[in-house]
């Protein structure tokens, strides 16, 4: 750790970070990185800490004096402002961010992504503290190309689908398509942060993650989450593979996504943390434009990779089609395609993702198999016995 310098060759001084939502998927990887590779301190705020337990215990860990867990629900806890004041930088990750909730719990989704984030922005602005806020690629909504006729040659033109932070519009469906409650709340908090920067001098960075995936993402229903819960696609498909049941393709699995390995994405966040002069005032797409697949292709790849890492044969019928209404309920809608433009993050931070989709699926599914295969077998044999 000695002699670490920023992108401009200046020494990096240790700072204290108030990380809200530190116990989640991204937070756990960011805490791991900060503890193992930097001298920074973390005040880790969350309602859960299962995913960072390995960083908190035992107390003999070399970084034990640099990470402190505060079990706080930011909706209603007066200790939050004190923690933000104690820190040099606040990173806000806390949010409801699983699509199954957007149309079924739209109020919770809007409160979590907008109302609950408001005091965090306010405390940072009033106390002159820097803020890194986690938004989403969903603020872009649908591509312009999605509205062209299916056979239009313009659909092949990147001008109609590549998503640029400072140029692309935000295109959501109608109000009854409650899927967009999340994207709309995230967009409004982005606009508020941007305005705090413009009018009150808040030092901010906004991150728009594009489908970051890897170990510890979400939960496996019935094992470390509710049996009826619907996590994001990586955990849905992992659950199906572990239980040897067909992967469910929503509305034909035609939507396209670019997936990025969590460890590549965390490198980008660390650059933002340690290069404030280059990151402040910017909105950054963080994704891997080279890893694009349809959801159907993702299912095929995961089936193949899981068979390799588990040694089990693939199912004869590896996928089944399911309508979005059946799977998510009324009010679901989808982003058609998500290719991040990388110009701004490249220019400001010189960052590029490295890991191919095959490689990241291999390491992630190896983790899923090691972590869950035995527990699933036991749960399934209990169900059969009953
Ligand atoms: N994973 C991705 O690819 C992705 C993509 C786009 C945006 N994001 C955004 O990044 C952030 C983190 O995502 P994640 O994938 O790590 O999700 P996650 O659900 O794993 O983590 C969120 C954490 O916030 C905590 N939290 C929620 N409400 C809270 C509250 N009121 N008080 C205290 N803690 C609370 C949760 O307990 C959870 O541990 C979210 O804002 C999400 O919208 C993530
Ligand atoms: O990860 C991101 O960058 C953002 O996008 C996600 O949204 P989405 O990509 O639609 O979420 P997933 O649940 O991972 O779904 C991806 C696609 O797979 C499909 N899907 C999902 C689950 C399943 O079992 N089968 C299936 O076909 C969905 O319909 C969707 O088209 C979530 O909104 C957020 O976590 C985040 O803001």
């Amino acid at each position: 750790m000695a002699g670490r310098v920023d992108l401009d060759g200046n020494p990096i001084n240790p700072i204290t970070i108030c990380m809200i939502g530190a116990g989640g998927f991204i937070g756990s990887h960011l805490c791991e990185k900060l503890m193992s590779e930097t001298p920074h301190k973390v005040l880790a705020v969350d309602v859960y800490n299962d995913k960072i337990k390995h960083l908190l215990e035992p107390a003999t860990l070399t970084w034990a004096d640099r990470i402190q867990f505060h079990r706080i629900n930011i909706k209603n806890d007066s200790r939050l402002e004190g923690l933000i004041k104690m820190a040099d930088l606040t990173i806000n990750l806390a949010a409801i961010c699983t699509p199954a909730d957007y149309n079924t719990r739209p109020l919770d989704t809007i409160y979590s992504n907008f109302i609950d984030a408001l005091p965090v922005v306010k405390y940072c602005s009033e106390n002159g503290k820097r803020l890194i806020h986690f938004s989403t690629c969903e603020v872009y909504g649908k591509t312009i190309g999605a509205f062209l006729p299916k056979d239009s040659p313009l659909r092949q033109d990147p001008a109609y689908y590549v998503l640029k932070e400072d140029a692309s519009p935000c295109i959501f469906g109608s109000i009854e398509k409650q899927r967009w409650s999340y994207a709309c709340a995230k967009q409004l908090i982005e606009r508020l942060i941007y305005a705090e920067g413009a009018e009150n001098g808040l030092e901010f960075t906004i991150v728009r993650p594009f489908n970051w995936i890897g170990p510890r993402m979400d939960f496996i229903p019935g094992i470390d989450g509710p049996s009826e819960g619907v996590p994001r696609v990586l955990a849905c498909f992992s659950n199906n593979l572990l239980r040897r049941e067909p992967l469910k393709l929503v509305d034909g699995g035609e939507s396209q996504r670019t997936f990025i390995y969590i460890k590549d994405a965390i490198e980008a966040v660390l650059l933002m943390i340690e290069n404030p002069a280059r990151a402040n005032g910017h909105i950054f797409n963080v994704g891997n434009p080279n890893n694009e697949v349809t959801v159907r292709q993702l299912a095929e790849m995961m089936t193949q990779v899981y068979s390799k890492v588990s040694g089990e044969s693939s199912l004869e019928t590896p996928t089944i089609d399911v309508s979005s209404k059946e799977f998510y309920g009324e009010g679901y809608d989808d982003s058609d395609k998500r290719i991040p433009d990388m110009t701004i993050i490249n220019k400001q931070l010189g960052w590029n993702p490295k890991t191919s989709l095959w490689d990241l699926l291999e390491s992630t599914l190896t983790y899923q198999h090691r972590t869950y295969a035995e527990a699933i077998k036991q749960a399934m044999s209990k169900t059969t016995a009953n």
Side-chain angles (χ1 to χ4, degrees):
M1 278 185 219
R4 296 177 73 250
V5 292
D6 68 14
L7 291 171
D8 298 304
N10 304 311
I12 294 170
N13 296 321
I15 57 167
T16 299
I17 301 169
C18 173
M19 195 190 301
I20 307 167
F25 163 58
I26 296 176
S28 72
H29 285 275
L30 189 51
C31 286
E32 235 170 39
K33 183 87 174 174
L34 289 166
M35 290 305 110
S36 60
E37 292 181 26
T38 80
H40 307 308
K41 284 191 178 159
V42 173
L43 308 172
V45 175
D46 206 304
V47 280
Y48 304 112
N49 67 7
D50 318 32
K51 294 184 185 186
I52 52 170
K53 269 236 157 80
H54 63 293
L55 300 172
L56 303 171
E57 291 165 7
T60 49
L61 287 166
T62 51
W63 53 69
D65 61 338
R66 290 196 288 116
I67 184 163
Q68 243 176 45
F69 178 66
H70 298 263
R71 195 177 300 278
I72 285 179
N73 185 337
I74 62 161
K75 273 182 192 302
N76 47 28
D77 202 306
S78 57
R79 288 173 292 173
L80 181 64
E81 184 172 12
L83 291 174
I84 289 177
K85 278 187 181 166
M86 273 165 68
D88 304 288
L89 161 69
T90 293
I91 301 180
N92 190 10
L93 293 149
I96 288 177
C97 54
T98 38
D101 293 316
Y102 308 163
N103 58 313
T104 55
R105 300 169 56 205
L107 284 178
D108 287 342
T109 301
I110 294 167
Y111 272 79
S112 168
N113 283 284
F114 181 68
I115 305 287
D116 300 346
L118 274 177
V120 177
V121 180
K122 185 172 152 256
Y123 297 147
C124 287
S125 192
E126 286 173 356
N127 293 292
K129 301 290 183 174
R130 188 178 170 220
L131 171 67
I132 298 182
H133 184 82
F134 272 70
S135 181
T136 173
C137 59
E138 285 212 15
V139 295
Y140 295 109
K142 299 181 188 228
T143 63
I144 308 172
F147 296 88
L148 293 168
K150 279 253 179 295
D151 56 355
S152 167
L154 289 177
R155 277 188 177 240
Q156 309 310 318
D157 181 343
Y160 290 83
Y161 62 79
V162 172
L163 303 169
K164 291 181 193 266
E165 298 93 329
D166 54 354
S168 297
C170 306
I171 310 175
F172 305 153
S174 62
I175 301 298
E176 58 268 36
K177 295 282 184 205
Q178 296 202 74
R179 155 61 183 256
W180 302 108
S181 58
Y182 167 77
C184 195
K186 286 279 203 201
Q187 189 199 140
L188 190 54
I189 199 75
E190 277 201 23
R191 289 190 186 273
L192 185 110
I193 292 168
Y194 198 89
E196 279 289 349
E199 292 187 29
N200 294 328
L202 172 69
E203 291 184 346
F204 73 87
T205 302
I206 290 170
V207 186
R208 291 183 181 164
F210 280 64
N211 292 81
W212 299 9
I213 61 174
R216 295 197 291 271
M217 184 168 197
D218 297 338
F219 57 91
I220 296 297
I223 303 298
D224 54 6
S227 306
E228 299 308 313
V230 181
R232 286 169 284 189
V233 69
L234 173 80
C236 285
F237 286 176
S238 300
N239 183 39
N240 299 142
L241 290 165
L242 284 154
R243 292 177 191 272
R244 294 189 64 74
E245 58 190 30
L247 282 58
K248 293 181 178 154
L249 297 179
V250 172
D251 292 342
E254 283 175 15
S255 298
Q256 291 167 293
R257 294 288 187 273
T258 49
F259 292 96
I260 177 173
Y261 193 37
I262 181 71
K263 292 189 193 297
D264 287 355
I266 291 294
E267 295 274 352
V269 182
L270 186 58
L271 285 168
M272 293 174 208
I273 294 172
E274 298 192 324
N275 293 274
R278 288 167 175 259
N280 282 348
H282 287 284
I283 300 177
F284 292 117
N285 286 343
V286 180
N288 187 337
N290 305 318
N291 281 350
E292 189 183 34
V293 279
T294 62
V295 174
R296 180 179 291 279
Q297 287 167 331
L298 176 74
E300 288 162 1
M301 288 175 85
M302 284 182 65
T303 303
Q304 212 176 317
V305 172
Y306 189 70
S307 177
K308 180 180 166 196
V309 302
S310 67
E312 291 169 10
S313 60
S314 310
L315 291 185
E316 232 166 76
T317 317
T319 59
I320 50 163
D321 285 339
V322 48
S323 74
S324 55
K325 193 167 170 196
E326 221 178 305
F327 193 79
Y328 288 112
E330 206 66 63
Y332 181 75
D333 198 1
D334 209 353
S335 301
D336 53 307
K337 187 174 172 77
R338 287 184 186 156
I339 306 257
D341 182 87
M342 306 298 287
T343 314
I344 296 183
I345 194 157
N346 246 299
K347 177 167 170 261
Q348 293 304 118
L349 302 173
W351 172 87
N352 279 303
K354 300 183 210 120
T355 315
S356 71
L357 190 51
W358 284 109
D359 288 351
L360 77 86
L361 288 179
E362 182 156 343
S363 51
T364 305
L365 291 180
T366 302
Y367 171 89
Q368 303 289 59
H369 183 67
R370 284 200 192 128
T371 311
Y372 294 109
E374 204 41 55
I376 294 253
K377 256 189 214 137
Q378 283 179 16
M380 288 176 73
S381 62
K382 254 190 214 154
T383 320
T384 325
N386 291 339

